[in-house]
């Protein structure tokens, strides 16, 4: 996949993001990720050195607040941005095209991953059915009671899965890290699991 920004473009785009007001470095990273619909998220090692360079050039001012630093445009920064409006407009058009290309690639990657995942789940379900051994010595003699015991075990497994996934999703959401790929994967896994489980109930 082609690089997102050509030489000097990320520098200009950071200036444009600061035009709306001071931001922390993390806020700038999140704003970039949002602009690309989650298909691109720059690392701190990409963003912070450029912010430091912009500060050296007098285009942004850093204000340290406890453990965080806020970056804001200086007068020189606003002047730089105004002088490069045409270039920024062209950059926005390029970003829109890049987002479309990256979204198409992500969809194709997801489709390929989902096909493989469905096959793996189907194979695992088949293997489980093939290797299943009736636990006649451990299960209650009454078939209905044995069924209910297995039903309660299944309920416990479902609840444990739900609790663990929700906890992971909450942690990810707190950091703005829940991606579309996560949602697509969860949907496919649950749909495939439902089909496989129903196949054992017929």
């Amino acid at each position: 996949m082609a690089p997102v920004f050509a030489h000097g473009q990320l520098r200009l785009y950071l200036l444009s993001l600061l035009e709306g007001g001071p931001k922390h470095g993390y806020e700038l990273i999140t704003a970039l990720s949002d602009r690309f619909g989650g298909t691109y998220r720059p690392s701190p090692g990409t963003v912070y050195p450029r912010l430091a360079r912009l500060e050296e050039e007098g285009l942004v001012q850093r204000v340290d607040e406890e453990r965080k630093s806020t970056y804001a445009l200086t007068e020189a920064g606003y002047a730089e941005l105004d002088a490069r409006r045409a270039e920024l407009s062209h950059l926005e058009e390029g970003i829109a095209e890049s987002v479309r290309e990256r979204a198409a690639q992500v969809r194709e990657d997801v489709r390929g991953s989902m096909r493989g995942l469905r096959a793996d789940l189907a194979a695992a379900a088949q293997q489980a059915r093939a290797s299943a051994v009736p636990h006649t010595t451990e299960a209650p003699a009454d078939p209905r009671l044995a069924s209910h015991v297995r039903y309660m075990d299944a309920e416990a497994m479902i609840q444990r899965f739900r609790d663990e996934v929700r906890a992971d999703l909450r942690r990810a959401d707190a950091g703005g890290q829940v991606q579309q790929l996560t949602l697509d994967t969860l949907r496919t896994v649950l749909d495939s699991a439902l089909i496989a489980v129903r196949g054992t109930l017929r």
Side-chain angles (χ1 to χ4, degrees), residues 7-134:
H7 179 69
Q9 288 185 333
L10 178 56
R11 173 183 179 279
L12 175 60
Y13 208 66
L14 288 172
L15 291 176
S16 74
L17 290 174
L18 289 172
E19 187 175 20
K23 290 182 175 60
H24 299 300
Y26 178 78
E27 291 176 310
L28 290 168
I29 291 173
T30 301
L32 278 163
S33 178
D34 290 345
R35 180 65 184 84
F36 282 85
T39 62
Y40 166 72
R41 185 179 181 85
S43 68
T46 297
V47 171
Y48 284 102
R50 284 169 172 79
L51 289 172
R53 182 64 182 275
L54 289 170
E55 184 183 5
E56 290 174 3
E57 295 173 356
L59 301 177
V60 304
Q61 180 181 15
R62 185 183 69 185
V63 177
D64 294 325
E65 302 172 341
E66 296 181 356
R67 297 183 180 181
K68 292 183 179 180
S69 297
T70 298
Y71 298 86
L73 286 181
T74 62
E75 290 186 10
Y78 280 108
E80 170 90 2
L81 200 53
D82 286 339
R84 303 178 65 182
R85 290 293 178 188
E87 186 179 346
L88 181 60
S89 177
H90 180 70
L91 175 56
E92 287 283 6
E93 293 175 2
I95 288 176
E97 180 60 28
S98 179
V99 169
R100 285 192 290 270
E101 292 176 356
R102 285 176 168 267
Q105 183 62 54
V106 168
R107 285 194 295 270
E108 185 57 34
D109 291 345
V110 167
R111 280 195 290 268
S113 298
M114 293 306 99
R115 284 193 293 270
L117 184 57
R118 289 190 188 97
D120 289 343
L121 286 169
Q126 182 61 36
Q127 179 63 33
R129 287 193 290 268
S131 60
V133 177

Side-chain angles (χ1 to χ4, degrees), residues 189-200:
V189 168
L190 293 178
D191 287 347
S192 299
L194 180 60
I195 293 171
V197 170
R198 281 177 172 170
T200 70

